[in-house]
Amino acid sequence: MDTNYLETFIKTLDCASISDAARYLGITPGAVSARIRALEQELGQPLIRRSGHTVRPTEHGLLICDKARQMIQDSRDMTAMVKSGNVLGELRLGSFFSGLTTHLPRLLEKTYEQHPDVSIFVSYAPSVELCHQVHSGTLDIALAIEPQFAIYKNCSWLKIQDEPLTLIVPPKYATTKSMENAHDILRASPFIRYARSSYSGQLVDRYLKDHRIVPNQRLEIDSLLTIAALVARGVGVALVPDSFSLESLGKSIQKVALPGRTQIRKIGMIWSNQSPRVTISKSIAMYARNLFN
């Protein structure tokens, strides 16, 4: 049984969409459908059902789902063992989306300085989903925004960074508006909102409501780096976590301090204490704390 076909099946279930799975895998929707049909023919049972653009597993699809995930990971582990001689196999590391281009490169650089032979598979997802995946054993460790629920008993959490909210504005605001009054800028300027479906967006929404600010909203989007790039182009102003990733934009944006205390986004590492790779997971968490604290 081709593990690439199994991976296509699993990714389709995770995305609940053939087209989204195709984009993630870098193949056409037709190729995704063909792979799943090949699996269904081999197993003699339908594995998915379609309802509009949404895909759900059939009863037989649910039956093989966990086993398929395990077969995919076993295949990756065997490859990693043969190539590196490491009996622990492949480390499965997750990251929230904006962490892929901000925290993760520095963290992987440090990890490979200390463990040059380790094989790592990186995936990304919303932080809540990452925490669930570590808990279930799908991931060994993840870089995530601290969840609003209690950390699972089979997992450990280490905070690596606090990110208070800050107002970011185009450079022209330094001369055209008072840089002393962040709230006036928020009320008067076109506003780019961090999507309220995300935890970071909920922090922003809470701050605005706490201070009775109704911004002149221009658009809403769930991507810190995209928001910052739009601000740099003068599209509007935004309230965002003060991530060091903003430094990559240099002088193309300006930060305006908010009065008083603000909500804080907490970044950390969560790892499974039941993983066979728990020792290296702990090491990576410590590297992250030293790098970003």
Side-chain angles (χ1 to χ4, degrees):
M1 185 173 291
D2 193 325
T3 55
N4 286 326
Y5 288 13
L6 288 174
E7 188 167 4
T8 300
F9 165 64
I10 292 299
K11 183 52 62 178
T12 300
L13 294 189
D14 289 344
C15 295
S17 164
I18 287 177
S19 58
D20 288 349
R23 280 192 290 271
Y24 184 93
L25 295 168
I27 59 178
T28 66
V32 171
S33 296
R35 289 181 178 185
I36 293 174
R37 281 197 303 271
L39 273 179
E40 290 176 330
Q41 290 170 3
E42 185 173 352
L43 294 172
Q45 296 291 346
L47 300 177
I48 64 170
R49 61 175 181 270
R50 296 174 177 84
S51 176
H53 296 295
T54 302
V55 174
R56 293 286 184 267
T58 63
E59 182 179 353
H60 293 97
L62 282 173
L63 282 174
I64 72 164
C65 186
D66 289 343
K67 188 63 175 179
R69 292 183 191 275
Q70 188 59 54
M71 289 176 67
I72 294 166
Q73 188 55 48
D74 287 345
S75 175
R76 291 184 177 279
D77 283 345
M78 284 189 290
T79 301
M81 289 175 191
V82 170
K83 289 184 175 179
S84 69
N86 186 342
V87 297
L88 294 179
E90 183 181 66
L91 180 80
R92 296 159 294 176
L93 170 65
S95 172
F96 66 101
F97 183 72
S98 61
L100 289 171
T101 54
T102 55
H103 298 73
L104 199 61
R106 292 177 62 182
L107 181 55
L108 290 177
E109 178 185 25
K110 179 64 176 179
T111 298
Y112 279 112
E113 285 177 2
Q114 303 299 320
H115 307 278
D117 297 325
V118 68
S119 177
I120 301 176
F121 175 78
V122 177
S123 65
Y124 64 89
S127 290
V128 171
E129 178 61 25
L130 291 172
C131 292
H132 292 326
Q133 290 182 24
V134 173
H135 168 58
S136 68
T138 305
L139 294 175
D140 299 300
I141 184 170
L143 172 70
I145 299 167
E146 185 178 39
Q148 295 175 285
F149 51 82
I151 298 298
Y152 304 103
K153 291 183 179 179
N154 68 329
C155 299
S156 292
W157 169 267
L158 180 67
K159 187 187 75 171
I160 63 172
Q161 195 172 41
D162 281 338
E163 295 180 344
L165 294 181
T166 189
L167 174 63
I168 56 174
V169 302
K172 64 181 180 181
Y173 277 57
T175 56
T176 62
K177 291 184 181 290
S178 169
M179 296 294 284
E180 301 298 325
N181 197 327
H183 287 180
D184 284 348
I185 293 175
L186 280 169
R187 290 187 175 98
S189 307
F191 183 64
I192 303 169
R193 183 187 284 274
Y194 212 133
R196 284 165 283 196
S197 59
S198 69
Y199 177 62
S200 301
Q202 291 165 19
L203 293 180
V204 169
D205 193 54
R206 195 179 311 155
Y207 182 88
L208 294 172
K209 288 178 177 177
D210 286 349
H211 292 86
R212 298 180 181 178
I213 298 171
V214 180
N216 176 23
Q217 183 172 316
R218 177 164 276 180
L219 63 92
E220 183 168 350
I221 187 170
D222 184 9
S223 170
L224 173 59
L225 294 178
T226 303
I227 290 171
L230 288 168
V231 170
R233 291 176 177 272
V235 175
V237 304
L239 202 54
V240 296
D242 191 4
S243 169
F244 73 85
S245 61
L246 299 176
E247 303 303 324
S248 64
L249 293 168
K251 295 181 180 179
S252 61
I253 62 170
Q254 298 283 332
K255 296 179 185 177
V256 182
L258 297 169
R261 300 179 63 183
T262 76
Q263 281 74 12
I264 294 175
R265 184 172 80 165
K266 297 178 181 179
I267 309 297
M269 305 294 300
I270 181 171
W271 66 92
S272 169
N273 293 314
Q274 297 175 342
S275 165
R277 292 163 285 273
V278 63
T279 300
I280 189 171
S281 293
K282 287 181 179 178
S283 297
I284 290 173
M286 295 304 171
Y287 301 153
R289 184 180 65 177
N290 293 335
L291 283 170
F292 305 120
N293 241 342

